[in-house]
Amino acid sequence: MRQQLRSRRAPTFPHGYRYRLDDQDEVNQNYLADEEEEAEEEARVMRVPNLEEEEKEEEQKEEEEGQGQPTGNTWWQKLQLMNEYLWDPEQRMSLARTGQSWSLILVIYFFFYASLAAVITVCMYTLFLTISAYMPTFTERVKPAGVMIRPFAHSLNFNFNVSEPDTWQHYVISLNGFLQGYNDSLQEEMNVDCPPGQYFIQDGNEDEDKKACQFKRSFLKNCSGLEDPTFGYSTGQPCILLKMNRIVGFRPELGDPVKVSCKVQRGDENDIRSIHYYPESASFDLRYYPYYGKLTHVNYTSPLVAMHFTDVVKNQAVPVQCQLKGKGIINDVINDHFVGRVIFTLNIET
């Protein structure tokens, strides 16, 4: 290649050959240009093997570095990146944030949640200032009085055999337990004897304790369990107790007490030929109203009406419906069988 480059140098002229000075300058310039091209070509030729040697050295370094790492180079790199993300000792950063950045975040969130808690506390405090703990603020949406019966019966079906005590003994136990709070001695000790037929209205501050009128167990007579410990179940004449649910401030309208009436729900009305009620008025006397709430009316005892089914057809299921009767009482709600009424079944076998 060098020989070829030398061959491109300026030609020699025969001795005595005359030429013009301008032509000689042009020849000299071409000669210098050829010398520069030759030097560049030699440098390029010398640079090629140097690049190849550098590439080989880099490959050898990569191989040496790879020999010091375990298999699964990608997994190892990911683990290193994760460790650096969790804690970077060079920049002293955790999760890509410095200590100052984390401090600012904690301060911001502290004041944010503290402000939120303060707003909620003020709102709740303001709300409680407008609500009485002793009397409901809004009563226009309170449902009409509901009712419940005792003893407890599964699916409200009273099935028992008169000659088999095991079939009705649990009813007797349920009634005895329910009436413990109505014992005469307890009522005389805790409550007062109020005049019947009028509301027992108690003035004063709403947080003052209110007195309660007596409702003695003896008021239920044959269904009290005092004269007949079996409540009539041993003779096929069962007693069932009915009470109204408590409603704060409720008063029967027009000063007429709410009464109870029972009959056959569907079928032959002669399936129930005789029912005795206790008290005999079959009503909830006005003296037990209004109710002032459990915080102040602590000893309040809900009045009861006992239904004594003395003559019911035997050996068949008899559906019974007991309703509340009175001004403002609702007892025909289809979707709720406990608002103003209750339906149960008597199946007395002999």
PDB file of all heavy atoms in Angstrom, residues 295-323:
ATOM      1  N   LEU A 295     -83.689   6.415  80.961  1.00  0.00           N
ATOM      2  CA  LEU A 295     -82.712   7.120  81.790  1.00  0.00           C
ATOM      3  C   LEU A 295     -83.343   7.690  83.053  1.00  0.00           C
ATOM      4  O   LEU A 295     -82.688   7.743  84.106  1.00  0.00           O
ATOM      5  CB  LEU A 295     -82.050   8.242  80.987  1.00  0.00           C
ATOM      6  CG  LEU A 295     -81.157   7.804  79.822  1.00  0.00           C
ATOM      7  CD1 LEU A 295     -80.567   9.017  79.123  1.00  0.00           C
ATOM      8  CD2 LEU A 295     -80.056   6.888  80.305  1.00  0.00           C
ATOM      9  N   THR A 296     -84.575   8.131  82.967  1.00  0.00           N
ATOM     10  CA  THR A 296     -85.236   8.732  84.131  1.00  0.00           C
ATOM     11  C   THR A 296     -86.363   7.860  84.678  1.00  0.00           C
ATOM     12  O   THR A 296     -86.642   7.890  85.866  1.00  0.00           O
ATOM     13  CB  THR A 296     -85.803  10.116  83.763  1.00  0.00           C
ATOM     14  OG1 THR A 296     -86.687   9.990  82.648  1.00  0.00           O
ATOM     15  CG2 THR A 296     -84.679  11.067  83.395  1.00  0.00           C
ATOM     16  N   HIS A 297     -86.998   7.075  83.810  1.00  0.00           N
ATOM     17  CA  HIS A 297     -88.095   6.207  84.244  1.00  0.00           C
ATOM     18  C   HIS A 297     -87.535   4.797  84.496  1.00  0.00           C
ATOM     19  O   HIS A 297     -87.939   3.824  83.844  1.00  0.00           O
ATOM     20  CB  HIS A 297     -89.189   6.164  83.175  1.00  0.00           C
ATOM     21  CG  HIS A 297     -90.559   6.331  83.729  1.00  0.00           C
ATOM     22  ND1 HIS A 297     -91.630   6.727  82.976  1.00  0.00           N
ATOM     23  CD2 HIS A 297     -91.049   6.174  84.984  1.00  0.00           C
ATOM     24  CE1 HIS A 297     -92.717   6.802  83.713  1.00  0.00           C
ATOM     25  NE2 HIS A 297     -92.389   6.463  84.933  1.00  0.00           N
ATOM     26  N   VAL A 298     -86.642   4.722  85.443  1.00  0.00           N
ATOM     27  CA  VAL A 298     -85.849   3.499  85.615  1.00  0.00           C
ATOM     28  C   VAL A 298     -86.712   2.320  86.026  1.00  0.00           C
ATOM     29  O   VAL A 298     -86.561   1.194  85.518  1.00  0.00           O
ATOM     30  CB  VAL A 298     -84.729   3.741  86.654  1.00  0.00           C
ATOM     31  CG1 VAL A 298     -83.912   2.470  86.852  1.00  0.00           C
ATOM     32  CG2 VAL A 298     -83.840   4.887  86.204  1.00  0.00           C
ATOM     33  N   ASN A 299     -87.628   2.508  86.951  1.00  0.00           N
ATOM     34  CA  ASN A 299     -88.429   1.403  87.497  1.00  0.00           C
ATOM     35  C   ASN A 299     -89.731   1.183  86.746  1.00  0.00           C
ATOM     36  O   ASN A 299     -90.615   0.461  87.239  1.00  0.00           O
ATOM     37  CB  ASN A 299     -88.733   1.663  88.980  1.00  0.00           C
ATOM     38  CG  ASN A 299     -87.476   1.685  89.820  1.00  0.00           C
ATOM     39  OD1 ASN A 299     -86.501   0.990  89.528  1.00  0.00           O
ATOM     40  ND2 ASN A 299     -87.471   2.508  90.867  1.00  0.00           N
ATOM     41  N   TYR A 300     -89.859   1.785  85.583  1.00  0.00           N
ATOM     42  CA  TYR A 300     -91.111   1.655  84.827  1.00  0.00           C
ATOM     43  C   TYR A 300     -91.377   0.198  84.489  1.00  0.00           C
ATOM     44  O   TYR A 300     -90.488  -0.530  84.031  1.00  0.00           O
ATOM     45  CB  TYR A 300     -91.047   2.487  83.557  1.00  0.00           C
ATOM     46  CG  TYR A 300     -92.296   2.419  82.707  1.00  0.00           C
ATOM     47  CD1 TYR A 300     -93.378   3.230  82.993  1.00  0.00           C
ATOM     48  CD2 TYR A 300     -92.377   1.555  81.627  1.00  0.00           C
ATOM     49  CE1 TYR A 300     -94.538   3.186  82.205  1.00  0.00           C
ATOM     50  CE2 TYR A 300     -93.508   1.504  80.836  1.00  0.00           C
ATOM     51  CZ  TYR A 300     -94.587   2.314  81.134  1.00  0.00           C
ATOM     52  OH  TYR A 300     -95.722   2.267  80.355  1.00  0.00           O
ATOM     53  N   THR A 301     -92.627  -0.223  84.705  1.00  0.00           N
ATOM     54  CA  THR A 301     -93.050  -1.582  84.402  1.00  0.00           C
ATOM     55  C   THR A 301     -94.172  -1.520  83.376  1.00  0.00           C
ATOM     56  O   THR A 301     -95.210  -0.901  83.622  1.00  0.00           O
ATOM     57  CB  THR A 301     -93.553  -2.305  85.663  1.00  0.00           C
ATOM     58  OG1 THR A 301     -92.530  -2.239  86.664  1.00  0.00           O
ATOM     59  CG2 THR A 301     -93.855  -3.758  85.359  1.00  0.00           C
ATOM     60  N   SER A 302     -93.950  -2.140  82.231  1.00  0.00           N
ATOM     61  CA  SER A 302     -94.955  -2.094  81.165  1.00  0.00           C
ATOM     62  C   SER A 302     -96.216  -2.832  81.598  1.00  0.00           C
ATOM     63  O   SER A 302     -96.150  -3.944  82.137  1.00  0.00           O
ATOM     64  CB  SER A 302     -94.401  -2.735  79.892  1.00  0.00           C
ATOM     65  OG  SER A 302     -93.283  -2.033  79.418  1.00  0.00           O
ATOM     66  N   PRO A 303     -97.384  -2.244  81.364  1.00  0.00           N
ATOM     67  CA  PRO A 303     -98.640  -2.936  81.690  1.00  0.00           C
ATOM     68  C   PRO A 303     -98.877  -4.132  80.766  1.00  0.00           C
ATOM     69  O   PRO A 303     -98.373  -4.163  79.640  1.00  0.00           O
ATOM     70  CB  PRO A 303     -99.702  -1.850  81.498  1.00  0.00           C
ATOM     71  CG  PRO A 303     -99.100  -0.919  80.494  1.00  0.00           C
ATOM     72  CD  PRO A 303     -97.628  -0.911  80.775  1.00  0.00           C
ATOM     73  N   LEU A 304     -99.631  -5.083  81.240  1.00  0.00           N
ATOM     74  CA  LEU A 304     -99.905  -6.313  80.500  1.00  0.00           C
ATOM     75  C   LEU A 304    -101.400  -6.544  80.388  1.00  0.00           C
ATOM     76  O   LEU A 304    -102.191  -6.048  81.192  1.00  0.00           O
ATOM     77  CB  LEU A 304     -99.265  -7.522  81.200  1.00  0.00           C
ATOM     78  CG  LEU A 304     -97.770  -7.462  81.492  1.00  0.00           C
ATOM     79  CD1 LEU A 304     -97.361  -8.665  82.329  1.00  0.00           C
ATOM     80  CD2 LEU A 304     -96.962  -7.407  80.203  1.00  0.00           C
ATOM     81  N   VAL A 305    -101.758  -7.322  79.379  1.00  0.00           N
ATOM     82  CA  VAL A 305    -103.109  -7.872  79.260  1.00  0.00           C
ATOM     83  C   VAL A 305    -102.950  -9.367  79.031  1.00  0.00           C
ATOM     84  O   VAL A 305    -102.243  -9.792  78.113  1.00  0.00           O
ATOM     85  CB  VAL A 305    -103.894  -7.226  78.111  1.00  0.00           C
ATOM     86  CG1 VAL A 305    -105.213  -7.971  77.877  1.00  0.00           C
ATOM     87  CG2 VAL A 305    -104.176  -5.764  78.405  1.00  0.00           C
ATOM     88  N   ALA A 306    -103.600 -10.158  79.895  1.00  0.00           N
ATOM     89  CA  ALA A 306    -103.528 -11.619  79.785  1.00  0.00           C
ATOM     90  C   ALA A 306    -104.769 -12.139  79.077  1.00  0.00           C
ATOM     91  O   ALA A 306    -105.891 -11.732  79.396  1.00  0.00           O
ATOM     92  CB  ALA A 306    -103.385 -12.241  81.165  1.00  0.00           C
ATOM     93  N   MET A 307    -104.564 -13.034  78.111  1.00  0.00           N
ATOM     94  CA  MET A 307    -105.663 -13.703  77.422  1.00  0.00           C
ATOM     95  C   MET A 307    -105.708 -15.148  77.897  1.00  0.00           C
ATOM     96  O   MET A 307    -104.749 -15.893  77.723  1.00  0.00           O
ATOM     97  CB  MET A 307    -105.471 -13.657  75.899  1.00  0.00           C
ATOM     98  CG  MET A 307    -105.555 -12.261  75.315  1.00  0.00           C
ATOM     99  SD  MET A 307    -103.957 -11.382  75.305  1.00  0.00           S
ATOM    100  CE  MET A 307    -103.076 -12.356  74.100  1.00  0.00           C
ATOM    101  N   HIS A 308    -106.829 -15.511  78.502  1.00  0.00           N
ATOM    102  CA  HIS A 308    -107.011 -16.860  79.029  1.00  0.00           C
ATOM    103  C   HIS A 308    -107.982 -17.596  78.109  1.00  0.00           C
ATOM    104  O   HIS A 308    -109.194 -17.342  78.131  1.00  0.00           O
ATOM    105  CB  HIS A 308    -107.556 -16.806  80.458  1.00  0.00           C
ATOM    106  CG  HIS A 308    -107.489 -18.105  81.160  1.00  0.00           C
ATOM    107  ND1 HIS A 308    -108.099 -18.334  82.381  1.00  0.00           N
ATOM    108  CD2 HIS A 308    -106.880 -19.282  80.846  1.00  0.00           C
ATOM    109  CE1 HIS A 308    -107.872 -19.563  82.773  1.00  0.00           C
ATOM    110  NE2 HIS A 308    -107.132 -20.161  81.853  1.00  0.00           N
ATOM    111  N   PHE A 309    -107.443 -18.486  77.294  1.00  0.00           N
ATOM    112  CA  PHE A 309    -108.259 -19.224  76.322  1.00  0.00           C
ATOM    113  C   PHE A 309    -108.870 -20.438  77.031  1.00  0.00           C
ATOM    114  O   PHE A 309    -108.294 -21.529  77.070  1.00  0.00           O
ATOM    115  CB  PHE A 309    -107.401 -19.645  75.124  1.00  0.00           C
ATOM    116  CG  PHE A 309    -106.870 -18.484  74.331  1.00  0.00           C
ATOM    117  CD1 PHE A 309    -105.651 -17.906  74.656  1.00  0.00           C
ATOM    118  CD2 PHE A 309    -107.590 -17.959  73.277  1.00  0.00           C
ATOM    119  CE1 PHE A 309    -105.158 -16.837  73.928  1.00  0.00           C
ATOM    120  CE2 PHE A 309    -107.106 -16.889  72.546  1.00  0.00           C
ATOM    121  CZ  PHE A 309    -105.888 -16.316  72.872  1.00  0.00           C
ATOM    122  N   THR A 310    -110.064 -20.219  77.558  1.00  0.00           N
ATOM    123  CA  THR A 310    -110.695 -21.258  78.392  1.00  0.00           C
ATOM    124  C   THR A 310    -111.463 -22.304  77.590  1.00  0.00           C
ATOM    125  O   THR A 310    -111.714 -23.397  78.097  1.00  0.00           O
ATOM    126  CB  THR A 310    -111.659 -20.596  79.395  1.00  0.00           C
ATOM    127  OG1 THR A 310    -112.610 -19.789  78.690  1.00  0.00           O
ATOM    128  CG2 THR A 310    -110.875 -19.723  80.368  1.00  0.00           C
ATOM    129  N   ASP A 311    -111.833 -21.977  76.358  1.00  0.00           N
ATOM    130  CA  ASP A 311    -112.596 -22.942  75.556  1.00  0.00           C
ATOM    131  C   ASP A 311    -112.177 -22.818  74.104  1.00  0.00           C
ATOM    132  O   ASP A 311    -112.685 -21.970  73.363  1.00  0.00           O
ATOM    133  CB  ASP A 311    -114.100 -22.707  75.710  1.00  0.00           C
ATOM    134  CG  ASP A 311    -114.930 -23.862  75.143  1.00  0.00           C
ATOM    135  OD1 ASP A 311    -114.328 -24.796  74.574  1.00  0.00           O
ATOM    136  OD2 ASP A 311    -116.173 -23.810  75.269  1.00  0.00           O
ATOM    137  N   VAL A 312    -111.215 -23.643  73.704  1.00  0.00           N
ATOM    138  CA  VAL A 312    -110.679 -23.650  72.346  1.00  0.00           C
ATOM    139  C   VAL A 312    -110.807 -25.064  71.791  1.00  0.00           C
ATOM    140  O   VAL A 312    -110.590 -26.048  72.516  1.00  0.00           O
ATOM    141  CB  VAL A 312    -109.211 -23.181  72.313  1.00  0.00           C
ATOM    142  CG1 VAL A 312    -108.685 -23.178  70.882  1.00  0.00           C
ATOM    143  CG2 VAL A 312    -109.077 -21.809  72.934  1.00  0.00           C
ATOM    144  N   VAL A 313    -111.172 -25.184  70.538  1.00  0.00           N
ATOM    145  CA  VAL A 313    -111.295 -26.486  69.922  1.00  0.00           C
ATOM    146  C   VAL A 313    -109.955 -27.219  69.998  1.00  0.00           C
ATOM    147  O   VAL A 313    -108.892 -26.619  69.839  1.00  0.00           O
ATOM    148  CB  VAL A 313    -111.786 -26.352  68.456  1.00  0.00           C
ATOM    149  CG1 VAL A 313    -110.731 -25.672  67.599  1.00  0.00           C
ATOM    150  CG2 VAL A 313    -112.129 -27.715  67.878  1.00  0.00           C
ATOM    151  N   LYS A 314    -110.008 -28.504  70.264  1.00  0.00           N
ATOM    152  CA  LYS A 314    -108.792 -29.305  70.470  1.00  0.00           C
ATOM    153  C   LYS A 314    -108.428 -30.089  69.223  1.00  0.00           C
ATOM    154  O   LYS A 314    -109.247 -30.297  68.315  1.00  0.00           O
ATOM    155  CB  LYS A 314    -108.993 -30.258  71.646  1.00  0.00           C
ATOM    156  CG  LYS A 314    -109.411 -29.588  72.958  1.00  0.00           C
ATOM    157  CD  LYS A 314    -108.364 -28.645  73.465  1.00  0.00           C
ATOM    158  CE  LYS A 314    -108.692 -28.173  74.892  1.00  0.00           C
ATOM    159  NZ  LYS A 314    -109.929 -27.375  74.941  1.00  0.00           N
ATOM    160  N   ASN A 315    -107.178 -30.537  69.221  1.00  0.00           N
ATOM    161  CA  ASN A 315    -106.638 -31.441  68.193  1.00  0.00           C
ATOM    162  C   ASN A 315    -106.689 -30.857  66.775  1.00  0.00           C
ATOM    163  O   ASN A 315    -106.813 -31.590  65.797  1.00  0.00           O
ATOM    164  CB  ASN A 315    -107.380 -32.782  68.231  1.00  0.00           C
ATOM    165  CG  ASN A 315    -107.242 -33.471  69.565  1.00  0.00           C
ATOM    166  OD1 ASN A 315    -106.159 -33.543  70.144  1.00  0.00           O
ATOM    167  ND2 ASN A 315    -108.363 -33.981  70.084  1.00  0.00           N
ATOM    168  N   GLN A 316    -106.540 -29.566  66.690  1.00  0.00           N
ATOM    169  CA  GLN A 316    -106.401 -28.920  65.390  1.00  0.00           C
ATOM    170  C   GLN A 316    -105.776 -27.537  65.602  1.00  0.00           C
ATOM    171  O   GLN A 316    -105.888 -26.952  66.676  1.00  0.00           O
ATOM    172  CB  GLN A 316    -107.739 -28.806  64.665  1.00  0.00           C
ATOM    173  CG  GLN A 316    -108.686 -27.770  65.226  1.00  0.00           C
ATOM    174  CD  GLN A 316    -109.954 -27.644  64.400  1.00  0.00           C
ATOM    175  OE1 GLN A 316    -110.599 -28.654  64.099  1.00  0.00           O
ATOM    176  NE2 GLN A 316    -110.307 -26.436  64.031  1.00  0.00           N
ATOM    177  N   ALA A 317    -105.118 -27.063  64.540  1.00  0.00           N
ATOM    178  CA  ALA A 317    -104.472 -25.758  64.605  1.00  0.00           C
ATOM    179  C   ALA A 317    -105.513 -24.657  64.435  1.00  0.00           C
ATOM    180  O   ALA A 317    -106.322 -24.684  63.496  1.00  0.00           O
ATOM    181  CB  ALA A 317    -103.396 -25.638  63.532  1.00  0.00           C
ATOM    182  N   VAL A 318    -105.469 -23.703  65.365  1.00  0.00           N
ATOM    183  CA  VAL A 318    -106.404 -22.583  65.346  1.00  0.00           C
ATOM    184  C   VAL A 318    -105.593 -21.290  65.236  1.00  0.00           C
ATOM    185  O   VAL A 318    -104.884 -20.921  66.178  1.00  0.00           O
ATOM    186  CB  VAL A 318    -107.284 -22.556  66.605  1.00  0.00           C
ATOM    187  CG1 VAL A 318    -108.238 -21.359  66.545  1.00  0.00           C
ATOM    188  CG2 VAL A 318    -108.055 -23.858  66.748  1.00  0.00           C
ATOM    189  N   PRO A 319    -105.661 -20.583  64.104  1.00  0.00           N
ATOM    190  CA  PRO A 319    -104.948 -19.304  63.987  1.00  0.00           C
ATOM    191  C   PRO A 319    -105.698 -18.204  64.755  1.00  0.00           C
ATOM    192  O   PRO A 319    -106.912 -18.038  64.590  1.00  0.00           O
ATOM    193  CB  PRO A 319    -104.937 -19.030  62.485  1.00  0.00           C
ATOM    194  CG  PRO A 319    -106.119 -19.772  61.953  1.00  0.00           C
ATOM    195  CD  PRO A 319    -106.312 -20.966  62.841  1.00  0.00           C
ATOM    196  N   VAL A 320    -104.947 -17.463  65.578  1.00  0.00           N
ATOM    197  CA  VAL A 320    -105.538 -16.433  66.434  1.00  0.00           C
ATOM    198  C   VAL A 320    -104.885 -15.100  66.115  1.00  0.00           C
ATOM    199  O   VAL A 320    -103.665 -15.019  65.944  1.00  0.00           O
ATOM    200  CB  VAL A 320    -105.346 -16.778  67.923  1.00  0.00           C
ATOM    201  CG1 VAL A 320    -106.026 -15.722  68.798  1.00  0.00           C
ATOM    202  CG2 VAL A 320    -105.902 -18.158  68.230  1.00  0.00           C
ATOM    203  N   GLN A 321    -105.685 -14.066  66.053  1.00  0.00           N
ATOM    204  CA  GLN A 321    -105.185 -12.709  65.865  1.00  0.00           C
ATOM    205  C   GLN A 321    -105.686 -11.829  67.002  1.00  0.00           C
ATOM    206  O   GLN A 321    -106.878 -11.715  67.229  1.00  0.00           O
ATOM    207  CB  GLN A 321    -105.653 -12.128  64.527  1.00  0.00           C
ATOM    208  CG  GLN A 321    -105.225 -10.674  64.315  1.00  0.00           C
ATOM    209  CD  GLN A 321    -105.606 -10.133  62.957  1.00  0.00           C
ATOM    210  OE1 GLN A 321    -104.787 -10.112  62.050  1.00  0.00           O
ATOM    211  NE2 GLN A 321    -106.841  -9.688  62.808  1.00  0.00           N
ATOM    212  N   CYS A 322    -104.710 -11.192  67.706  1.00  0.00           N
ATOM    213  CA  CYS A 322    -105.039 -10.253  68.774  1.00  0.00           C
ATOM    214  C   CYS A 322    -104.632  -8.860  68.316  1.00  0.00           C
ATOM    215  O   CYS A 322    -103.471  -8.637  67.933  1.00  0.00           O
ATOM    216  CB  CYS A 322    -104.321 -10.633  70.065  1.00  0.00           C
ATOM    217  SG  CYS A 322    -104.902 -12.185  70.799  1.00  0.00           S
ATOM    218  N   GLN A 323    -105.578  -7.922  68.378  1.00  0.00           N
ATOM    219  CA  GLN A 323    -105.353  -6.565  67.878  1.00  0.00           C
ATOM    220  C   GLN A 323    -105.509  -5.550  68.996  1.00  0.00           C
ATOM    221  O   GLN A 323    -106.230  -5.770  69.965  1.00  0.00           O
ATOM    222  CB  GLN A 323    -106.362  -6.237  66.768  1.00  0.00           C
ATOM    223  CG  GLN A 323    -106.180  -7.020  65.492  1.00  0.00           C
ATOM    224  CD  GLN A 323    -107.221  -6.633  64.454  1.00  0.00           C
ATOM    225  OE1 GLN A 323    -108.403  -6.503  64.761  1.00  0.00           O
ATOM    226  NE2 GLN A 323    -106.781  -6.450  63.210  1.00  0.00           N
TER     227      GLN A 323
END
